[in-house]
Amino acid sequence: MFRPSHESLLVQNAEVDRLELPRIQDDDELEALKASGALQPIIAGETLRFDPRLDPSRRYCRPWTRDFVQDIAQAYYHRFHEQIQVNSAVRTVKVQKKLRRHNRNAAPSEGDTASSHLAGLTVDLQRRGMTPEQIHWMEHYLFYMKALGLVEPEEERHQWVFHIMVSGRYADWREMQDIIPMERPEPATVTADSHAE
């Protein structure tokens, strides 16, 4: 449903630029962003696990991306009683260049189609091993979020992951979900004394 494309990479980079986020060059810059709280740890638990090959130093992302991951993992667990697996999160330019040497499909480390992992906006969630029903559920969830302008997803065939860039707008949208009561209004009752005026 979400084919990787040049246009999608442009959308992802436009969001990085809109938020004026740096493309993280190296481990020193990465550690500084963690220390400042600009990058938050993704926490494994009942609903979420990591690919064990993912370096613990890179299990971080922007706060709103972390919230998105927690939300989708919780919804997925509620539906299927299985965990979502995070295969990749923040990357540095140095890591991306190394990845490009092994994976021709990996996005570049610079330019207007650079990987949005470099800004900490993006996570890759494992697709391999999901049932058709689970894949359909994920696609439906992401389609809704994309329609709201909150995510830019791609289904990568080479790595078999859902690559999901989360917009900074997700934070405001999520806050609104907590504020606005979702209860249905009580229907007006009609009595025998009611009459048109």
Side-chain angles (χ1 to χ4, degrees), residues 16-71:
V16 175
D17 292 340
R18 184 184 75 84
L19 295 169
E20 299 182 340
L21 298 175
R23 274 74 170 180
I24 303 163
Q25 296 297 311
D26 52 31
D27 287 344
D28 288 344
E29 198 171 328
L30 178 63
E31 293 306 318
L33 288 167
K34 290 182 197 175
S36 72
L39 291 174
Q40 295 284 316
I42 302 170
I43 306 299
E46 183 182 39
T47 65
L48 183 146
R49 67 176 184 267
F50 289 103
D51 183 332
R53 295 170 295 179
L54 180 59
D55 189 318
S57 70
R58 291 193 281 112
R59 297 176 182 185
Y60 286 75
C61 59
R62 297 290 169 178
W64 56 88
T65 303
R66 177 207 56 196
D67 290 343
F68 169 83
V69 172
Q70 290 176 344
D71 291 344

Side-chain angles (χ1 to χ4, degrees), residues 121-153:
L121 290 178
T122 302
V123 291
D124 290 347
L125 304 181
Q126 170 118 331
R127 186 176 180 276
R128 188 183 302 278
M130 285 186 175
T131 66
E133 182 187 2
Q134 289 168 336
I135 290 170
H136 179 75
W137 184 94
M138 287 287 290
E139 289 174 338
H140 183 79
Y141 190 104
L142 294 172
F143 182 84
Y144 175 70
M145 290 290 162
K146 179 177 167 66
L148 293 176
L150 301 176
V151 302
E152 179 60 29

Side-chain angles (χ1 to χ4, degrees), residues 1-184:
M1 181 179 284
F2 306 111
R3 291 182 180 275
S5 67
H6 180 79
E7 289 73 20
S8 180
L9 289 173
L10 292 176
V11 168
Q12 293 173 54
N13 278 273
E15 179 63 5
V16 175
D17 292 340
R18 184 184 75 84
L19 295 169
E20 299 182 340
L21 298 175
R23 274 74 170 180
I24 303 163
Q25 296 297 311
D26 52 31
D27 287 344
D28 288 344
E29 198 171 328
L30 178 63
E31 293 306 318
L33 288 167
K34 290 182 197 175
S36 72
L39 291 174
Q40 295 284 316
I42 302 170
I43 306 299
E46 183 182 39
T47 65
L48 183 146
R49 67 176 184 267
F50 289 103
D51 183 332
R53 295 170 295 179
L54 180 59
D55 189 318
S57 70
R58 291 193 281 112
R59 297 176 182 185
Y60 286 75
C61 59
R62 297 290 169 178
W64 56 88
T65 303
R66 177 207 56 196
D67 290 343
F68 169 83
V69 172
Q70 290 176 344
D71 291 344
I72 194 171
Q74 187 173 23
Y76 185 87
Y77 187 84
H78 180 76
R79 176 67 179 83
F80 298 108
H81 303 289
E82 291 185 18
Q83 294 173 310
I84 274 181
Q85 178 170 300
V86 177
N87 283 11
S88 186
V90 69
R91 292 183 201 146
T92 64
V93 169
K94 188 175 179 180
V95 168
Q96 191 70 20
K97 285 180 177 177
K98 184 178 179 182
L99 184 64
R100 286 269 287 179
R101 289 200 292 269
H102 302 290
N103 177 6
R104 287 184 178 181
N105 294 313
S109 57
E110 56 189 24
D112 58 4
T113 59
S115 172
S116 54
H117 283 283
L118 303 176
L121 290 178
T122 302
V123 291
D124 290 347
L125 304 181
Q126 170 118 331
R127 186 176 180 276
R128 188 183 302 278
M130 285 186 175
T131 66
E133 182 187 2
Q134 289 168 336
I135 290 170
H136 179 75
W137 184 94
M138 287 287 290
E139 289 174 338
H140 183 79
Y141 190 104
L142 294 172
F143 182 84
Y144 175 70
M145 290 290 162
K146 179 177 167 66
L148 293 176
L150 301 176
V151 302
E152 179 60 29
E154 294 181 327
E155 289 181 73
E156 295 183 6
R157 300 294 175 175
H158 183 73
Q159 299 294 329
W160 287 94
V161 296
F162 290 98
H163 165 103
I164 308 162
M165 185 225 61
V166 185
S167 167
R169 298 182 180 94
Y170 187 78
D172 292 336
W173 176 84
R174 189 175 191 257
E175 197 173 308
M176 290 297 291
Q177 304 314 298
D178 295 334
I179 292 171
I180 299 172
M182 302 306 289
E183 299 167 9
R184 295 172 63 183

